[in-house]
Structure formats: structure tokens, C-alpha cells
Amino acid sequence: MAGYDDRDGHIWLDGKMVDWRDANVHILTHAMHYASSVFEGERAYNGKIFKSREHSERLKRSAQMIDFEIPWTVDEIEAAKVEVLAGSGLQDAYVRAIAWRGAGEDMGVASAKNPVRLAIAAWEWGAYYGDAKMKGAKLDISKWKRPSPETIPSHAKAAGLYMICTMSKHAAEAKGCSDAMMFDYRGYVAEATGANVFFVKDGEVHTPDPDCFLNGITRQTVIGMLKEKQIKVHERHIMPEELEGFEQCWLTGTAAEVTPVGQIGDYNFEVGALTRDVAESYEKLVRE
């Protein structure tokens, strides 16, 4: 497949559809230098974006958290996504909306004089972790930690917050792993590089309290599903030594969907009945 900069099709950019190859920015775009960018990853199933409005609302909130305002309303963003999806000709697709501070009068840390831009693209994207959805992903344990909310706007889906995620995933892939699990600044279990994590013990589910990382839309959806199934969910701080006692594990995220985990570092997990049930229930839900 061609690189993401060299494809047929169109991308919605600042209010109009432009040729895919022409959707470019200037080299002095502020976001490229100072990470003043927020984004959403969304999936469409059967021609409809799952939880679309929630993603658009979060995009707006994320921008506000890093001190800029997206000059399009949620309704306008929703309409643009519909236009993009229809133009792609895809029924099942990944949709990326991204907003950033562009090139303008400012070219330093400050960027209040620069225009805020918005782009939306859609493309075909299969299972994020490949065949791990069947046999369970293998995760490394990252040396990098999710930082304190006192140091970053940890609940924004902001591009700059993914720098250590990229580094962690590269290190994991070099070891033959699909991804890496990260601890937080206090040493608690946090999340994978782009997905939230769940564990099972004695028929009950445990998942880290998202007090210093993104509370994913898929995470919230799965918790709601579990509660409807009358399965007890503990949202709490989880210590690393507890990993040995958990029986099952899975990841959640828009890209990851529900992906079983077979191994984290030296700890092994079964791809058990509850994990498979949650994955199947989620697959059914998004296609309703």
C-alpha cells in the first residue's frame, strides 16, 4: 500500500474537500515544532461512525485543554465527517480528525496569532494488532511512565502526549511484542501506548483509574457493557505485583477495539471466556 501522503481520494481541509496529495501544511506550521495539535481516531462500521458525536465533542475539549479553540462547531465537524466517509466509498473505515495551530505570525512557543486548522480523513484499516485479536497480544513493559496531571493536560487527546508512546512501542516491536504497557508516575499500572487495559480475577474485572491518562471512549463503552452483564468492575489503582494474580487481560481502544492480551512482560494470561464474550459483544454493538 502506498504511503499515507500518496493515495487517491480526498481529505476535508479547513472547510472543503481537497485532493489527498494536496492536503499539505507549511514547514513552519506551529504544531510541527511545538506539538500544538489534538486529534481523534474513530471507526465507522456499516457506513456509520461509532460514537461519532462523543469523539467530536472530545476533540473540541482537547483543544481547549491545550489553549486553543477549534473554529468549527460540533455539528459542523459531524457534517464534515459524514461528507468524508461518503466520499471515501467505504463502509468500514478509520476516520481521523485533527486540529492544530498552523503557520502564521508567531514562530516561537507562543502561537496565539496563528490560525487554527482542521482536517478529516478516512481510510481502510484492519485489526490494529493483527492476529493478536485471536491469540492474544504480547506486551513489553515500557521504561517510560505516564506523567503527573500537574505536568501535562493528561486528559486531552493531544499529539505531544504520544511521544513517549511512540518510543515505547518502537522498543516493544524491537523485542517482538505488539505493544507496551506503561506504569504511571506513581508506579501504578496505567495503559498501553494507545489503548486502555482491563484484567480479570475470580470473575470480576479490574481496570486502572484514569486519573492521569485518557479515559477512552471505548473503555467507557466496555465498562457499560460489563455492568449490563452484571459483572462487577473495579476502577482502581493497580500495583505491578498484582499482574501475577490476574487470569485474563484485554485492551480497549477505537483502533484496538477489544484485543485479548496473552502476555505482559513475564506475566501470562489466558484468552478466556469473558474476554471473548466482551470482544464479541463489542463487535455486535458497533454494528447495530
Side-chain angles (χ1 to χ4, degrees):
M1 184 176 287
Y4 281 94
D5 62 341
D6 186 22
R7 299 187 178 192
D8 295 328
H10 293 83
I11 291 174
W12 189 97
L13 179 62
D14 296 333
K16 62 182 180 179
M17 299 288 279
V18 301
D19 185 86
W20 191 288
R21 295 177 181 84
D22 294 334
N24 300 315
V25 297
H26 194 273
I27 195 67
L28 295 182
T29 293
H30 192 270
M32 184 179 295
H33 297 258
Y34 297 101
S36 49
S37 171
V38 295
F39 69 97
E40 285 294 319
E42 312 173 35
R43 278 193 188 266
Y45 301 89
N46 299 329
K48 182 180 179 181
I49 300 171
F50 184 66
K51 302 279 188 178
S52 180
R53 194 171 189 87
E54 290 181 33
H55 281 286
S56 296
E57 290 170 345
R58 187 172 67 180
L59 183 71
K60 294 274 286 185
R61 289 197 304 273
S62 292
Q64 291 164 356
M65 287 182 207
I66 69 167
D67 200 31
F68 70 83
E69 198 69 44
I70 297 173
W72 284 272
T73 67
V74 168
D75 286 341
E76 289 170 334
I77 295 170
E78 286 294 288
K81 289 193 291 187
V82 169
E83 184 179 4
V84 168
L85 188 58
S88 74
L90 299 171
Q91 287 293 299
D92 290 0
Y94 182 83
V95 179
R96 170 60 57 89
I98 181 166
W100 70 98
R101 287 195 182 274
E105 295 180 46
D106 285 332
M107 194 53 218
V109 173
S111 60
K113 297 178 182 177
N114 292 10
V116 173
R117 307 188 65 187
L118 176 65
I120 302 168
W123 61 87
E124 189 174 8
W125 204 9
Y128 186 64
Y129 291 109
D131 61 3
K133 287 200 75 171
M134 300 300 297
K135 65 181 183 180
K138 180 181 179 182
L139 272 59
D140 185 28
I141 295 178
S142 175
K143 71 175 184 178
W144 299 101
K145 295 183 177 181
R146 299 310 300 169
S148 165
E150 295 177 331
T151 66
I152 58 168
S154 58
H155 294 102
K157 194 168 177 67
L161 305 187
Y162 283 81
M163 178 182 67
I164 57 174
C165 298
T166 297
M167 296 164 70
S168 298
K169 193 171 177 81
H170 286 174
E173 290 177 339
K175 297 177 183 178
C177 297
S178 300
D179 202 352
M181 189 191 74
M182 308 178 80
F183 297 132
D184 71 15
Y185 66 103
R186 298 159 297 192
Y188 298 134
V189 173
E191 60 176 349
T193 62
N196 295 122
V197 64
F198 289 76
F199 302 96
V200 179
K201 183 177 182 179
D202 298 330
E204 298 184 350
V205 173
H206 303 255
T207 188
D209 179 6
D211 59 357
C212 67
F213 55 88
L214 197 68
N215 182 10
I217 290 173
T218 309
R219 176 187 184 275
Q220 296 172 53
T221 301
V222 167
I223 288 174
M225 287 169 43
L226 289 165
K227 290 181 177 179
E228 287 180 2
K229 293 174 181 289
Q230 304 300 309
I231 295 170
K232 191 168 184 59
V233 179
H234 303 272
E235 298 182 69
R236 63 180 182 85
H237 294 147
I238 297 173
M239 297 299 295
E241 54 266 27
E242 293 185 69
L243 294 174
E244 186 174 10
F246 292 129
E247 301 146 7
Q248 301 176 48
C249 177
W250 68 76
L251 302 175
T252 64
T254 298
E257 300 172 295
V258 177
T259 298
V261 173
Q263 184 177 351
I264 301 177
D266 295 329
Y267 303 102
N268 295 304
F269 309 92
E270 64 171 327
V271 182
L274 180 55
T275 301
R276 294 192 185 281
D277 177 60
V278 170
E280 291 169 5
S281 296
Y282 182 78
E283 178 70 16
K284 181 180 178 181
L285 176 66
V286 297
R287 295 186 178 278
E288 286 181 348

